[in-house]
Amino acid sequence: MPLWLDLLRTPMAAPETDDLRAMRRTFQFLCVASAIAVLAISLLVRLFGRPASFVVAALLITTALHTALYVYRKNRADNAFLEAATSSEEPA
C-alpha cells in the first residue's frame, strides 16, 4: 500500500471531548481578544490610562498559558487515541 494511502486511512487526531472543545473555543476567544487589544492599545491607553497596558499584558500572558495547557492536553488525548487505535489493529 502506498504511504499516502496508509496515512489517509490512519486516524490523525482524537475525537474532541466536551472539555477539549471548551478549551479550543476559549483559546480562539483569547486569540481574537488579544489581537483586538494589541491593535487597539493606543486607543485603550487614551481611554483608560496606563492600567490598560497592564490589562493587555495580562490578556497576552493568559493566552500564552492557556495555549500551552491546551496543546499539552490535546497532544495527550491524540497520543492516547492513536496508541489505542494501533494496539487494536495489531494481532494479539
Side-chain angles (χ1 to χ4, degrees), residues 57-86:
L59 179 62
L60 292 171
I61 291 169
T62 302
T63 302
L65 293 174
H66 183 78
T67 300
L69 181 63
Y70 173 71
V71 168
Y72 172 76
R73 287 187 179 172
K74 177 68 173 150
N75 283 336
R76 192 175 62 180
D78 288 346
N79 289 337
F81 178 74
L82 289 174
E83 187 175 305
T86 56

Side-chain angles (χ1 to χ4, degrees), residues 2-79:
L3 177 62
W4 67 268
L5 187 56
D6 188 36
L7 289 174
L8 186 64
R9 294 181 47 216
T10 304
M12 297 305 232
E16 192 173 53
T17 63
D18 291 338
D19 289 339
L20 282 175
R21 183 177 302 116
M23 286 189 77
R24 179 178 50 85
R25 289 184 177 153
T26 303
F27 164 74
Q28 291 169 332
F29 172 78
L30 286 170
C31 287
V32 170
S34 295
I36 291 170
V38 167
L39 290 173
I41 188 71
S42 58
L43 175 65
L44 292 172
V45 169
R46 258 189 276 130
L47 289 174
F48 302 111
R50 190 174 163 104
S53 60
F54 295 118
V55 172
V56 172
L59 179 62
L60 292 171
I61 291 169
T62 302
T63 302
L65 293 174
H66 183 78
T67 300
L69 181 63
Y70 173 71
V71 168
Y72 172 76
R73 287 187 179 172
K74 177 68 173 150
N75 283 336
R76 192 175 62 180
D78 288 346
N79 289 337

